[in-house]
Amino acid sequence: QQVSVEVLEHLEHLALVDFRDAEGVRRLQKAIQFADQLHEVNTEGVEPMDSVLEDRCLYLREDDVTEGNCTKELLENAREKVEEYFVAPPGNIPLPKLEERETFLQGS
């Protein structure tokens, strides 16, 4: 299923995710194909749920710190950081112009 440039731009704006390369577009197309299977499921008479665990009592556990002092190691995983903070969301980066996107969309 083809993804139009307009839909791509709209999704990038909503999710702050960068689909600038062909691999990103392929992943999006696969996700759409997977989600389209849900249209085949008969949900008539099925009430929507707030949570799949809404019929269970969820117990909270103590938040015990078992390790720590690993800020430097964690920040090594950051694509972009400012001082000692992750820049988030990582997709919040300048996006290519429409003409550039059309080029790799045609190749996918």
Side-chain angles (χ1 to χ4, degrees), residues 27-72:
R27 284 185 175 182
L28 177 62
Q29 289 171 334
K30 281 185 175 183
I32 291 170
Q33 286 175 337
F34 180 77
D36 276 343
Q37 296 175 28
L38 295 176
H39 293 292
E40 299 173 17
V41 178
N42 181 5
T43 58
E44 183 142 347
V46 178
E47 292 292 320
M49 299 175 71
D50 292 330
S51 166
V52 295
L53 301 173
E54 66 184 16
D55 63 337
R56 296 185 184 161
C57 183
L58 302 177
Y59 299 99
L60 297 177
R61 63 176 172 80
E62 292 295 321
D63 189 14
D64 295 326
V65 177
T66 56
E67 295 179 24
N69 202 17
C70 55
T71 304
K72 288 182 183 178

Side-chain angles (χ1 to χ4, degrees), residues 74-97:
L74 290 174
L75 286 171
E76 288 175 7
N77 296 316
R79 179 190 300 176
E80 195 173 332
K81 60 187 172 197
V82 174
E83 295 178 9
E84 291 186 4
Y85 298 96
F86 283 89
V87 174
N92 192 8
I93 56 177
L95 300 173
K97 297 188 180 356

